[in-house]
């Protein structure tokens, strides 16, 4: 890690690590910036990941100047598109699959704790000093002729090497409590430690998350689900008293962690499944509270509520004599994400096996005959058709019909026994 940590010029690291395509786009940006007499720097996660030797997919750039106008000039030149987000003077340049975020280098002032900051143009050093952690506050100048020069006024490289997450000042978590969740994410992702004083501040300000809007907390959780092992973030959040500040009743333990890992092993680790497992132990009132607190979408709320409802249902499919059709009847109508969450949560091998088969196979089983073919066999149009198709599906699920001919024979038999023509 940190292959070139003591170099003051990382030009060769950039040329080695960035692909020719990325260097091409970067070159177009720095040329245009030079003509506009603006300076451009790689910043944030891009620099951190480059120094860690991790893959860098997107580029974060700070511009001492007008980022939006620069992005537009480059987009016109290379024939790509720009999305501008004017509130913070930022723009995203999409060049093929590469996404480049250009932001105006700026100072920030928080009008009150937890509010979004007011921004003003600033120099790169000021831009670095408004950031969350030292490891995210390193810049690499990519303007000519200083391409590759490192700007590290807050000793971020030393912290990268020491594997420490350190805030820049005591007010950092108070200004922006979402940084609490960011710190825990980085800690888990990189296997870094919280620097001691930072850890104390984080615990002291955990409660401040209560004042943060549902949208912002949900956004941080959504980013947590993207981590390789989100349970590590939640474990640390529990230990630091952060979960209860998100919603009272939320708690984390090793059982919950095992469920997350199991969901991954099942290939079912979607955000909705993680969310349903996150809320798995809550009672109904707490589930309602969490849905409101996080301003969850209908689909997300449904996954949580269905998983909750299913907890009472899955025991009914555990008996050895339960037929596949009975499993399907019990589970159809619940969201598949909720079923996957219950599968990850169960300790019972038989329930695990049945939920797994339901998800992979049984829920998609359909009879080969359709309404038209039933009419051809003499079934009157109307509710009988639906009922017979359902019976055929059950027969297929339970192995009583394998081929189309089996289904035809069954329908004929049913019609005979109900006194219908056939
Ligand atoms: N940042 C900050 N405070 C925040 C959010 C972001 O200071 N609450 C700064 C950090 O310097 C961060 C940069 O903005 O590096 C970009 O933010 P983001 O894209 O969220 O993070 P990345 O560093 O790119 O990290 P990740 O790999 O998690 O996307």
């Amino acid at each position: 890690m940190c292959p070139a940590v003591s170099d003051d010029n990382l030009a060769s690291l950039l040329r080695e690590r960035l692909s020719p395509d990325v260097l091409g786009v970067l070159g177009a940006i720095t040329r245009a910036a030079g003509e506009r007499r603006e300076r451009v720097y790689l910043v944030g996660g891009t620099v951190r990941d480059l120094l860690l030797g991790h893959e860098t997919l997107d580029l974060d750039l700070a511009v001492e100047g007008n980022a939006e106008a620069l992005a537009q000039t480059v987009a016109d030149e290379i024939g790509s598109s720009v999305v501008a987000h004017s509130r913070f003077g930022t723009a995203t340049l999409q060049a093929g699959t590469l996404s480049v975020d250009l932001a105006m280098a700026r100072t920030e002032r928080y009008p009150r704790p937890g509010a979004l900051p007011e921004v003003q143009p600033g120099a790169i050093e000021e831009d670095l000093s408004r950031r969350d952690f030292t490891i995210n506050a390193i810049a690499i100048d990519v303007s000519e002729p200083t391409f590759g020069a490192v700007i590290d006024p807050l000793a971020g490289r030393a912290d990268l090497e020491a594997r420490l997450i350190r805030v820049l000042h005591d007010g950092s978590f108070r200004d922006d409590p979402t940084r609490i969740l960011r710190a825990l994410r980085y800690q888990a992702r990189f296997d870094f430690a919280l620097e001691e004083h930072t850890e104390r501040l984080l615990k002291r300000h955990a409660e401040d998350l209560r004042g943060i809007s549902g949208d912002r907390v949900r956004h941080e959780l959504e980013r947590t689900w993207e981590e390789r092992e989100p349970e590590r973030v939640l474990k640390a959040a529990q230990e630091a008293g952060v979960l209860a500040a998100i919603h009272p009743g939320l708690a984390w333990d090793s059982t919950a962690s095992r469920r997350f890992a199991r969901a991954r092993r099942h290939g079912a680790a979607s955000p909705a499944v993680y969310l349903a497992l996150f809320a798995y132990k809550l009672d109904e009132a707490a589930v309602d509270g969490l849905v409101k607190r996080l301003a969850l979408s209908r689909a997300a709320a449904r996954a949580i509520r269905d998983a909750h409802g299913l907890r009472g249902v899955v025991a009914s499919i555990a008996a050895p004599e339960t037929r596949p059709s009975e499993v399907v009847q019990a589970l159809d109508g619940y969201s598949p994400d909720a079923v996957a969450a219950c599968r990850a949560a169960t300790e019972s091998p038989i329930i695990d096996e049945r939920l797994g088969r339901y998800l992979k196979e049984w829920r998609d089983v359909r009879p080969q005959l359709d309404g038209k073919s039933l009419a051809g066999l003499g079934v009157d149009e109307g509710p009988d058709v639906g009922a017979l198709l359902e019976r055929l599906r059950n027969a297929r699920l339970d192995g009583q019909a394998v081929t189309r001919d089996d289904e035809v024979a069954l329908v004929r038999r049913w019609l005979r026994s109900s006194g219908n023509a056939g």
Side-chain angles (χ1 to χ4, degrees):
M1 81 120 235
C2 300
V5 83
S6 58
D7 282 358
D8 288 331
N9 191 295
L10 299 181
S12 51
L13 178 80
L14 293 180
R15 292 199 180 98
E16 260 165 46
R17 292 287 315 283
L18 300 177
S19 71
D21 285 354
V22 173
L23 284 170
V25 175
L26 199 54
I29 294 171
T30 52
R31 264 194 315 280
E35 281 160 22
R36 296 167 53 86
R37 299 186 180 281
E38 294 175 333
R39 301 194 69 81
V40 185
Y41 306 85
L42 283 173
V43 285
T46 306
V47 174
R48 179 198 67 220
D49 291 345
L50 269 167
L51 291 169
L52 284 171
H54 293 184
E55 201 181 357
T56 38
L57 293 174
D58 299 325
L59 294 184
D60 286 333
L61 293 170
V63 182
E64 284 175 337
N66 186 335
E68 267 183 64
L70 174 62
Q72 197 55 60
T73 307
V74 176
D76 293 345
E77 184 193 318
I78 64 175
S80 64
S81 62
V82 171
V83 181
H85 323 271
S86 3
R87 189 173 191 286
F88 293 115
T90 62
T92 304
L93 178 76
Q94 199 63 44
T97 55
L98 176 70
S99 166
V100 186
D101 280 335
L102 294 99
M104 169 185 76
R106 63 196 194 236
T107 59
E108 279 182 353
R109 201 183 69 83
Y110 289 83
R112 51 176 201 289
L116 291 177
E118 292 167 0
V119 306
Q120 286 217 324
I124 187 65
E125 288 80 5
E126 291 172 303
D127 186 275
L128 295 178
S129 68
R130 72 168 172 86
R131 290 174 184 262
D132 49 4
F133 308 112
T134 57
I135 60 167
N136 285 340
I138 312 167
I140 304 177
D141 193 341
V142 285
S143 322
E144 291 301 350
T146 39
F147 184 85
V150 180
I151 299 151
D152 183 19
L154 300 149
R157 281 190 299 174
D159 282 339
L160 270 181
E161 198 154 19
R163 305 168 72 81
L164 285 178
I165 295 153
R166 183 195 307 267
V167 285
L168 306 191
H169 58 88
D170 286 5
S172 186
F173 292 128
R174 184 202 58 216
D175 288 347
D176 180 356
T178 65
R179 287 176 173 167
I180 292 170
L181 290 164
R182 293 175 64 84
L184 300 176
R185 271 208 317 272
Y186 292 129
Q187 178 190 22
R189 186 191 310 166
F190 300 127
D191 209 7
F192 280 16
L194 295 175
E195 173 275 327
E196 257 177 56
H197 182 59
T198 299
E199 184 171 13
R200 272 197 300 278
L201 290 170
L202 185 147
K203 287 182 174 157
R204 190 181 307 157
H205 288 286
E207 286 289 312
D208 295 2
L209 271 171
R210 285 186 199 280
I212 297 302
S213 73
D215 283 345
R216 290 180 70 196
V217 176
R218 191 189 63 244
H219 176 71
E220 296 303 327
L221 285 175
E222 285 164 356
R223 294 188 68 178
T224 301
W225 309 146
E226 291 166 14
E227 296 294 330
R228 216 175 44 253
E229 294 179 356
E231 63 271 28
R232 298 184 61 181
V233 182
L234 299 176
K235 179 171 183 276
Q238 166 76 28
E239 284 162 7
V242 168
L243 287 186
I246 293 178
H247 187 266
L250 280 175
W252 203 250
D253 57 20
S254 55
T255 306
S257 285
R258 269 206 314 281
R259 291 172 174 164
F260 266 48
R262 242 188 248 138
R264 281 197 298 281
R265 276 202 303 282
H266 294 160
S270 68
V273 170
Y274 277 148
L275 188 68
L277 287 173
F278 181 56
Y280 200 71
K281 279 209 189 148
L282 299 181
D283 62 26
E284 212 170 318
V287 166
D288 289 344
L290 186 72
V291 167
K292 274 209 196 88
R293 169 70 181 104
L294 298 179
L296 293 177
S297 69
R298 266 163 183 271
R302 181 172 171 225
I304 297 186
R305 292 210 167 100
D306 278 5
H308 199 262
L310 272 168
R311 287 192 314 192
V313 170
V314 290
S316 74
I317 63 166
E321 65 277 10
T322 310
R323 290 192 301 270
S325 61
E326 291 170 318
V327 173
V328 169
Q329 249 157 38
L331 302 179
D332 266 359
Y334 288 99
S335 102
D337 289 325
V339 178
C342 284
R343 183 179 177 216
T346 187
E347 299 292 333
S348 149
I350 188 151
I351 293 179
D352 168 72
E353 199 253 345
R354 287 179 175 168
L355 296 180
R357 289 206 55 193
Y358 171 77
L359 287 168
K360 283 202 192 79
E361 190 187 328
W362 293 341
R363 76 189 169 104
D364 297 319
V365 167
R366 297 284 177 275
Q368 286 189 16
L369 298 183
D370 57 12
K372 222 165 125 195
S373 24
L374 286 185
L377 291 169
V379 179
D380 296 334
E381 261 183 48
D384 283 358
V385 174
L388 279 183
L389 289 174
E390 179 77 29
R391 270 178 94 177
L392 282 175
R393 184 186 184 212
N394 290 342
R396 189 164 272 282
L397 280 162
D398 295 340
Q400 292 149 4
V402 177
T403 63
R404 193 174 192 282
D405 286 348
D406 293 342
E407 289 187 8
V408 170
L410 275 176
V411 172
R412 292 214 161 104
R413 188 169 353 123
W414 292 336
L415 290 176
R416 268 199 306 278
S417 67
S418 68
N420 227 319

